[in-house]
Amino acid sequence: MRRNSIDCLSPEVRKAVRQALYARGFRDYAGLAAELAAQGHAVSKSALHRYGRKLEEAVKSAELSALVQGDEPRQGEAPQGFQLDLLSELESEVA
């Protein structure tokens, strides 16, 4: 199975990509691709979009599950603590 360009990034850069996608509301893939290119990472807008779409679906599912359990979703905040751990776990499911 062929690895995508996101999988080839270091764990730190993948974490930053997840955080950026979440913080941007899973939008502006072209802008994020340009930022990564400026840092020397060759990741296309399309690769980011495919990765972001899967991650967004997983995040929405987790937020819905939390809402059903009585937790309030944290809209518009940068992921931290539990949310960041959740994004890390979701990445392994997406890959």
Side-chain angles (χ1 to χ4, degrees):
M1 181 174 182
R2 183 175 173 255
R3 290 181 57 178
N4 65 40
S5 55
I6 304 288
D7 291 339
C8 294
L9 298 172
S10 71
E12 295 81 18
V13 175
R14 280 197 314 271
K15 179 179 175 180
V17 167
R18 287 192 308 272
Q19 290 175 315
L21 288 170
Y22 186 86
R24 295 168 189 237
F26 299 96
R27 292 179 178 80
D28 190 22
Y29 294 101
L32 182 54
E35 289 174 24
L36 289 167
Q39 297 172 16
H41 305 290
V43 179
S44 70
K45 178 186 82 160
S46 297
L48 286 169
H49 188 261
R50 285 189 300 273
Y51 179 78
R53 187 176 56 231
K54 291 176 186 177
L55 188 60
E56 182 179 18
E57 289 173 11
V59 167
K60 285 182 180 181
S61 176
E63 286 176 347
L64 179 59
S65 176
L67 189 61
V68 167
Q69 294 176 17
D71 296 335
E72 291 294 320
R74 299 178 191 158
Q75 298 285 334
E77 295 179 15
Q80 53 189 331
F82 171 75
Q83 286 178 317
L84 192 55
D85 292 341
L86 175 64
L87 285 174
S88 296
E89 288 176 31
L90 292 173
E91 180 192 27
S92 64
E93 293 176 15
V94 168

